[in-house]
Amino acid sequence: ATGQQRAGWLYGRYDKYDAVPLGIKAVVVAIYEPPQQGAANGLHLLDDPNLGAVDNVANALGMQKIGWIFTDLLPADPKSGKVQCTRHIEDSTRSAMFTA
C-alpha cells in the first residue's frame, strides 16, 4: 500500500441494457493510469504525452474512453496500509481536490 490516492481512465464500450426502457450500460474493459502525482488526500493529473496513442489503440480495439475512476481511501493505520471503511449505502464523499 502506498498511502497515495490514484486515478485512471476507464476504456470500454456502451451496450444496450434491456432491464430498463431505453437502457444503456457501460462495459469497462480496461483502466489506464495516466501520469499523476498522488497524495494522501488527493492527486494531480500530469501532462500525458501517451494519451493520444492510448486513445488510438483503444479505438483500434473497438473501445473508447467512457469514464474515470479514483480512490478515496482514508488511512486507518498508515504503517500497516489498512484503510477505513467509508462505503455505506447512505453516503458518498469525494475530495474537493478531485473536482477542481
Side-chain angles (χ1 to χ4, degrees), residues 8-15 25-30 55 58 62-69:
W9 294 114
L10 303 175
Y11 284 87
R13 65 183 185 281
Y14 294 103
D15 285 345
K25 65 179 176 180
V27 178
V28 176
V29 177
D55 286 340
M63 296 184 287
Q64 62 180 323
K65 192 182 298 173
I66 59 173
W68 65 305
I69 188 168

Side-chain angles (χ1 to χ4, degrees), residues 15-31:
D15 285 345
K16 186 176 179 182
Y17 184 63
D18 293 325
V20 296
L22 304 174
I24 298 174
K25 65 179 176 180
V27 178
V28 176
V29 177
I31 300 173

Side-chain angles (χ1 to χ4, degrees), residues 5 7 11 13 26-29 33 36 50-51 63 72 82 86:
Q5 303 297 328
Y11 284 87
R13 65 183 185 281
V27 178
V28 176
V29 177
E33 271 193 69
Q36 55 195 274
N50 299 316
L51 189 56
M63 296 184 287
D72 62 351
K82 293 186 178 186
T86 60

